[in-house]
Amino acid sequence: MLFPHLRHDLRLPAEEEALAGRPEPAFPLAGRHAVLGTPLAGPYPEGLAVADFGLGCFWGAERRFWQTPGVWTTLAGYQGGHTPNPTYEEVCSGLTGHTEAVRVVYDPSLVPYTALLKLFWESHDPTQGFRQGNDRGTQYRSAVYTHSPEHQAEAEASRDAYQSVLRGSGYGAITTEIRPAGPFYPAEEYHQQYLEKNPTGYCGIGGTGVSCPVGIAPADGN
């Protein structure tokens, strides 16, 4: 076992408790998306926007977004924690503070941010805390990491709208973390577009079946 001190109490570590990490990535990032053929790493072409989401295991989550018209590229990674340049094993230890995340690079003239928010909410159960289905751990928490004050406001408004309809369907409080994006660390090569490379691989993504009243009509802006 790499980490005999694995966290079992399902709480996020304080910064001083987190693993030290490293100043440089522990592994290289693949050049191009296995489905879309676009570069994974930035800088991205002018006119595109970036959105970051955590909704459980990033294998299935990434596929939901790369299948969306208007999305230019996607990549799996780690976000929301303390440890710089973590590895998958370190994230799974519960000692980095990261969640499994998907970076979505998209053309806002083709797909508005509100439509991505709608897909995010409907693709998982955002009321489960440090869990998503059978996947249990702080790395499976629900999160939206925003890249502008406008997106922060839209994400919070979408949460409030979805909370109302979820309560009407018998669900509890949304536990989704919504805050400005910090560093995004790409995951290892084998995680990138995993379900394209492994079509029968595990996908733990599943929604509540409750429609989100957000992004149904196109919105102005990114």
Side-chain angles (χ1 to χ4, degrees):
M1 179 180 294
L2 290 176
F3 300 98
H5 53 309
L6 289 178
R7 185 178 296 287
H8 295 292
D9 56 357
L10 291 188
R11 69 176 180 86
L12 291 172
E15 186 171 2
E16 61 272 16
E17 297 176 302
L19 297 174
R22 53 199 56 79
E24 300 293 334
F27 41 82
L29 179 63
R32 290 189 172 271
H33 197 285
V35 179
L36 302 175
T38 48
L40 293 180
Y44 301 114
E46 185 176 353
L48 300 183
V50 174
D52 297 327
F53 302 102
L55 53 156
C57 176
F58 48 24
W59 293 346
E62 188 189 11
R63 181 169 63 182
R64 289 287 175 96
F65 288 103
W66 87 51
Q67 292 175 335
T68 302
V71 168
W72 190 78
T73 202
T74 61
L75 59 159
Y78 312 115
Q79 201 166 13
H82 304 296
T83 301
N85 296 297
T87 66
Y88 179 66
E89 289 78 12
E90 289 170 343
V91 170
C92 289
S93 77
L95 293 169
T96 73
H98 293 90
T99 191
E100 293 189 15
V102 177
R103 170 150 288 182
V104 181
V105 182
Y106 66 101
D107 184 339
S109 70
L110 300 176
V111 56
Y113 184 61
T114 49
L116 298 178
L117 286 168
K118 179 177 173 65
L119 178 62
F120 164 77
W121 293 118
E122 293 181 355
S123 294
H124 75 305
D125 181 348
T127 70
Q128 294 190 324
F130 296 141
R131 182 171 68 86
Q132 198 58 218
N134 293 325
D135 294 327
R136 189 169 183 267
T138 56
Q139 73 270 31
Y140 299 117
R141 71 187 184 273
S142 175
V144 180
Y145 299 113
T146 60
H147 290 265
S148 71
E150 293 75 17
H151 283 184
Q152 180 75 21
E154 287 178 320
E156 292 173 352
S158 70
R159 174 199 58 204
D160 295 344
Y162 200 39
Q163 181 68 84
S164 179
V165 295
L166 282 177
R167 286 197 185 280
S169 298
Y171 286 88
I174 287 176
T175 59
T176 303
E177 176 180 308
I178 301 177
R179 59 185 172 94
F184 177 94
Y185 300 105
E188 292 84 340
E189 162 66 17
Y190 73 93
H191 289 301
Q192 304 300 334
Q193 300 88 60
Y194 180 87
L195 292 179
E196 172 66 15
K197 302 168 185 174
N198 302 274
T200 60
Y202 169 76
C203 176
I205 294 298
T208 61
V210 179
S211 179
C212 179
V214 174
I216 296 173
D220 294 334
N222 294 351

